[in-house]
Amino acid sequence: MDSQKLNPVDRIAELVSGGENFVLQGGAGSGKTESLKRVVQKVLKANPSLLIACITHTNKAADEIADRVSGDIKVSTIHSFLGEIISPFKKNIQQVFPKLFELPDFVALGDEHYDGDEKVRKKGEHDRFKKAHGQLENRRRTVLSEETPKVTGKRDYDKDPDKYNAQLNGLIGEINKEICEKLAARQPNEFFYNDTAFDNFNDPSYGHDGLIALACHMFEGFPLLGRIVSDQYDCILIDEYQDTSAVVVCVLLRCLPEESKTIIGLFGDSEQAIYSDGIGSAQSHIDAKELILVEKEDNYRCSPQVIDFSNQFRTDGLKQDVALKSLDIGTLETLESRQGSVKLLYGLAPVEVDTGDKAEDRKAKALFRSALNELVEKAASEYPGYVQLKLTNKSIANDVGFGRLYQIFDDRYSEPRDRIRKTLDRLQFGELIELVALHRSLPGDRRSYNRLIAKLRKRGFSISSVADKAKLDEMLRSFGSKDRAAYEAIEYAAECGLMKFSDSHKAFVDRRNELLAKLADDPVFAEFEGLYRNSHRTKLQMLKEVAATSMKHISAEMLEQEYDDRLKDLKQKSFLESMFSPDLALSEILAFYEYEDSEGEYSTMHKTKGTGIENVLLVIDEYGWTTAYDFVSCFAKDIPESKREISSRKLLYVASSRTKKNLVCVRLMKSQEEADQIASFFPEAVKL
């Protein structure tokens, strides 16, 4: 039989028997994990002596695969898999550990990078210089417990950038040398995996990302490691490959000895790669003939109408078809039972006028947001019970219990959603919430209990008696039962030994304290803050007030030069005071993480992969997102070319393909022309 006519599972079994690496590309609802299970069963039936490892990205996914795949195979997360490989080689870990902390030299970008625009180049280069200087400050504080001279201002930097770049690189060279020397003086057995998100220098340990980086450096630097892995496994299968680090994929394909014939198999969908830290697509490895592509066009999840709609946004050419599921009674479901619908509901936004006035522009944005919320409310009332996939905006935050948290970030950042998660994780709220979540899974969930105990022991928390367990239960229960302040809860958790503050956490707090102390002693800032608090919110308003009032420290010239920086300082001060305020309750943090990780009445488009949802109300609007998305471009007939267009289509595909039955899309159109363009992609469009 022609191998290309085989079903995907049989085709992969054929490739495995021939010692070929492969990638199974299947869309949403295609049963990729089920295919992995069947591949394992089939190849083990043909050759029971095969040694197979299945790698996933989360403990939950590992548990699901372990429950679904029978046989003596290894199932683990990518971190557990790599951790077990490298952990015995402490001396090698010590040798590559400095790479986690060494800073790269600062290299200036030329005029070509800025399209010959000198003004843009000067601003861009100084911004890059400040960022590199900030990294140096953090590293010197961590490694040397020393402060760094204040970053050079733009005016002086522009006069002689080469001079200041050379000075910066001199300091970078010095700190890199100190990093290597201090780590070389440690004992190999002092280096360990801390099972958190962060690497620590003084207590030499590595977190999730550090583990992957160290493992890749070790594979590349010590070829024996590849031979050891090849001796252990005949097949290494990776589920959801698109979320795997590109470096890990390269290492497995290129750093294992060719004669070993260890087969690497990837299962996933490049169209569902909506995050920046994974490989995304394996096309370069397919083109290099390192992987053979196997496509799976089945869709066991969605109605035919949803499949046809979402197919329009795939960028890889794969077109999904309806695949009927087997029912418990031994028959197939019927095509009629899979029927659903897709429709568009839209309204027209208030007329947008570019006034050039920031205050007026803010009013226009507020009107747009209000109109959008009103449109979504109308749609939700017509389709009750539909799960909303939409942006994390203020209205949802208030509804699900983290309105104050969202407001704190909305006042400081233009992209609050991304900043919330990154900042909370940096302050180690994610670690605390994970412990609380594992505790809530008890009793009865042995896996959760084992993970909870393992995490706590890595933090040095002693559990040796029934009394210790009772004390632990009381502490973890208190985080959900007591209405305590958010950061106070983090301090309490550290005080009790439930966590240790990371270097990143300490650096954040140190910089907060330094900034607040500096601003407290700055008379210019005090006058600027006074103006702002007295309703002089724009530079123009401040200039008028300064002209009419004699001020001791602020002049018109100073405002022209420093307004943006002073405003940034003011927003940062308010942000930091609010984040550490007793008025921010831990319950808001808990509500945010619960919202991120669950599917209630609302869901977020930022995290839309997973099981299907019966009926979906999808808000197709980029308002509040980064400039990385432009959903209008998804409804153009042209083939997407830019990264922005491709990312937008992938996200729209992922969001729409979550729907099992009925999909209602909602958009606030900027014009009737835009409405007509988008409506042409829908079987039915209704203006509300």
Side-chain angles (χ1 to χ4, degrees):
M1 180 183 290
D2 181 355
S3 63
Q4 297 300 326
K5 300 297 183 182
L6 295 173
N7 68 54
V9 171
D10 290 337
R11 173 63 173 142
I12 291 173
E14 181 184 75
L15 292 172
V16 171
S17 67
E20 299 280 3
N21 300 328
F22 65 89
V23 53
L24 175 70
Q25 174 87 344
S30 62
K32 295 180 288 295
T33 302
E34 178 65 19
S35 295
L36 187 154
K37 167 191 167 183
R38 291 176 58 201
V39 164
V40 170
Q41 292 172 335
K42 194 172 187 69
V43 298
L44 283 178
K45 184 176 181 180
N47 184 356
S49 65
L50 281 178
L51 302 173
I52 300 176
C54 292
I55 299 174
T56 68
H57 293 275
T58 65
N59 287 312
K60 180 180 178 182
D63 292 343
E64 289 176 356
I65 290 179
D67 290 339
R68 293 166 69 175
V69 177
S70 59
D72 187 17
I73 67 170
K74 181 176 182 60
V75 181
S76 70
T77 64
I78 186 69
H79 294 96
S80 295
F81 179 76
L82 293 175
E84 288 181 17
I85 291 171
I86 71 170
S87 60
F89 305 103
K90 295 288 190 178
K91 288 185 178 179
N92 303 96
I93 290 174
Q94 183 180 22
Q95 285 179 261
V96 299
F97 197 80
K99 294 182 182 294
L100 298 183
F101 294 92
E102 291 174 328
L103 297 174
D105 282 345
F106 181 77
V107 179
L109 302 177
D111 289 340
E112 290 185 6
H113 180 81
Y114 298 98
D115 298 324
D117 190 320
E118 183 179 10
K119 184 177 180 180
V120 173
R121 178 185 62 78
K122 286 183 175 181
K123 183 181 186 309
E125 286 299 281
H126 188 250
D127 286 344
R128 292 182 61 243
F129 179 82
K130 285 195 298 183
K131 183 176 181 180
H133 191 277
Q135 292 172 334
L136 174 67
E137 283 184 289
N138 287 339
R139 201 65 84 241
R140 282 174 58 84
R141 185 181 291 109
T142 297
V143 176
L144 303 175
S145 298
E146 292 180 3
E147 299 305 315
T148 305
K150 184 179 178 182
V151 64
T152 304
K154 183 175 181 301
R155 181 183 299 178
D156 289 333
Y157 180 81
D158 287 346
K159 293 176 183 177
D160 194 350
D162 291 341
K163 167 188 167 184
Y164 293 108
N165 292 346
Q167 290 177 354
L168 177 64
N169 285 330
L171 291 172
I172 288 174
E174 291 174 8
I175 196 63
N176 286 345
K177 181 181 177 182
E178 287 283 348
I179 287 169
C180 292
E181 290 178 353
K182 283 180 176 288
L183 292 174
R186 306 297 291 251
Q187 294 300 312
N189 61 5
E190 293 182 78
F191 296 82
F192 67 98
Y193 175 48
N194 59 39
D195 197 19
T196 73
F198 300 99
D199 307 318
N200 289 317
F201 179 84
N202 294 306
D203 182 19
S205 62
Y206 45 96
H208 304 326
D209 293 343
L211 167 61
I212 290 176
L214 286 177
C216 292
H217 287 311
M218 289 174 66
F219 271 105
E220 292 167 350
F222 309 107
L224 177 61
L225 196 60
R227 291 197 289 273
I228 291 172
V229 172
S230 293
D231 290 341
Q232 289 180 319
Y233 302 107
D234 298 304
C235 297
I236 299 175
L237 309 178
I238 302 179
D239 197 26
E240 300 288 1
Y241 79 84
Q242 70 275 3
D243 295 328
T244 303
S245 165
V247 182
V248 170
V249 174
C250 283
V251 161
L252 292 176
L253 290 173
R254 298 171 184 174
C255 292
L256 303 187
E258 292 185 12
E259 66 273 12
S260 71
K261 294 299 182 183
T262 297
I263 297 159
I264 307 301
L266 310 182
F267 294 74
D269 183 9
S270 61
E271 297 300 293
Q272 298 187 64
I274 60 174
Y275 307 117
S276 59
D277 53 357
I279 188 175
S281 172
Q283 191 60 48
S284 63
H285 296 291
I286 297 170
D287 294 340
K289 302 190 183 306
E290 295 171 321
L291 293 169
I292 294 175
L293 174 65
V294 179
E295 293 187 324
K296 196 171 193 301
E297 299 171 343
D298 301 328
N299 187 315
Y300 292 93
R301 175 193 299 168
C302 307
S303 64
Q305 294 80 5
V306 171
I307 293 173
D308 289 343
F309 176 74
S310 58
N311 272 343
Q312 298 176 97
F313 308 109
R314 289 192 68 95
T315 64
D316 64 345
L318 186 147
K319 296 295 181 185
Q320 293 189 270
D321 294 318
V322 175
L324 301 176
K325 295 189 289 286
S326 296
L327 303 177
D328 293 337
I329 56 176
T331 60
L332 290 178
E333 65 177 345
T334 64
L335 184 60
E336 289 73 19
S337 68
R338 284 280 291 277
Q339 297 300 310
S341 64
V342 175
K343 63 180 62 177
L344 170 69
L345 302 180
Y346 71 92
L348 295 180
V351 177
E352 185 176 1
V353 179
D354 186 4
T355 64
D357 185 301
K358 290 184 179 180
E360 291 300 317
D361 290 344
R362 281 196 295 270
K363 291 179 182 178
K365 289 180 180 179
L367 288 174
F368 185 97
R369 178 178 290 182
S370 176
L372 174 61
N373 290 340
E374 184 178 344
L375 177 65
V376 173
E377 287 175 8
K378 286 183 180 178
S381 66
E382 291 196 17
Y383 295 90
Y386 279 47
V387 172
Q388 294 182 25
L389 292 183
K390 60 185 295 190
L391 309 185
T392 304
N393 61 23
K394 193 179 301 183
S395 60
I396 289 183
N398 287 328
D399 288 339
V400 298
F402 60 96
R404 181 175 179 81
L405 176 69
Y406 185 88
Q407 186 65 57
I408 289 170
F409 282 83
D410 195 34
D411 288 342
R412 174 64 183 89
Y413 297 107
S414 59
E415 303 159 19
R417 204 230 70 88
D418 289 335
R419 289 283 188 168
I420 293 175
R421 186 69 185 241
K422 289 177 181 177
T423 304
L424 293 183
D425 283 348
R426 184 173 181 184
L427 290 173
Q428 297 174 266
F429 282 104
E431 289 180 42
L432 176 58
I433 300 306
E434 184 179 22
L435 295 178
V436 172
L438 288 172
H439 178 257
R440 285 178 173 174
S441 298
L442 308 178
D445 188 337
R446 189 69 188 176
R447 284 170 173 162
S448 293
Y449 176 77
N450 291 338
R451 286 172 186 150
L452 175 62
I453 299 305
K455 286 180 180 295
L456 290 172
R457 282 181 175 158
K458 283 185 178 180
R459 292 158 174 76
F461 190 90
S462 176
I463 304 173
S464 56
S465 66
V466 174
D468 290 337
K469 291 181 180 180
K471 181 180 177 183
L472 173 63
D473 179 73
E474 181 183 353
M475 284 189 294
L476 289 174
R477 197 180 301 279
S478 73
F479 291 108
S481 60
K482 295 181 181 179
D483 188 19
R484 65 169 85 234
Y487 193 72
E488 176 192 306
I490 288 290
E491 291 179 312
Y492 173 72
E495 179 185 324
C496 294
L498 296 175
M499 63 170 59
K500 292 182 178 180
F501 286 157
S502 67
D503 288 346
S504 181
H505 182 131
K506 293 174 185 175
F508 187 99
V509 174
D510 286 346
R511 296 200 72 175
R512 163 192 175 264
N513 294 338
E514 289 167 13
L515 176 65
L516 294 181
K518 184 190 79 170
L519 296 180
D521 292 335
D522 186 345
V524 177
F525 176 80
E527 283 193 355
F528 183 92
E529 183 177 26
L531 285 170
Y532 191 88
R533 302 300 182 202
N534 287 317
S535 300
H536 305 296
R537 299 296 178 89
T538 68
K539 181 165 68 174
L540 180 60
Q541 290 172 340
M542 286 192 181
L543 286 170
K544 289 180 178 178
E545 181 65 15
V546 168
T549 308
S550 176
M551 306 199 74
K552 187 175 180 180
H553 300 286
I554 290 184
S555 65
E557 181 183 5
M558 187 283 295
L559 281 174
E560 291 289 354
Q561 294 176 355
E562 300 182 21
Y563 175 81
D564 290 340
D565 288 338
R566 294 292 179 174
L567 181 61
K568 182 179 178 181
D569 283 343
L570 179 58
K571 288 187 175 183
Q572 188 68 0
K573 177 190 176 186
S574 297
F575 169 74
L576 292 171
E577 289 177 340
S578 298
M579 275 300 301
F580 291 82
S581 167
D583 294 332
L584 178 60
L586 179 64
S587 58
E588 297 235 352
I589 311 295
L590 289 165
F592 171 77
Y593 278 96
E594 184 176 342
Y595 166 76
E596 285 274 288
D597 299 330
S598 67
E599 291 170 3
E601 181 183 356
Y602 303 104
S603 187
T604 171
M605 283 176 62
H606 185 82
K607 200 170 185 182
T608 59
K609 290 186 296 181
T611 56
I613 304 170
E614 194 74 11
N615 301 308
V616 170
L617 190 70
L618 173 60
V619 182
I620 306 176
D621 200 282
E622 55 275 272
Y623 179 74
W625 283 81
T626 68
T627 54
Y629 297 101
D630 173 16
F631 294 126
V632 176
S633 69
C634 298
F635 299 94
K637 303 295 183 182
D638 302 330
I639 297 174
E641 295 180 352
S642 70
K643 181 179 179 180
R644 185 185 188 197
E645 291 171 341
I646 292 171
S647 297
S648 300
R649 292 201 184 199
K650 285 183 175 181
L651 186 56
L652 187 53
Y653 168 77
V654 171
S656 61
S657 63
R658 288 294 302 279
T659 312
K660 289 183 178 180
K661 286 281 188 181
N662 303 302
L663 172 64
V664 174
C665 295
V666 180
R667 181 172 175 85
L668 190 62
M669 308 290 182
K670 292 187 177 180
S671 67
Q672 188 60 50
E673 181 182 12
E674 181 179 281
D676 294 339
Q677 174 188 341
I678 293 177
S680 65
F681 280 69
F682 289 82
E684 181 181 354
V686 178
K687 182 179 179 182
L688 292 183

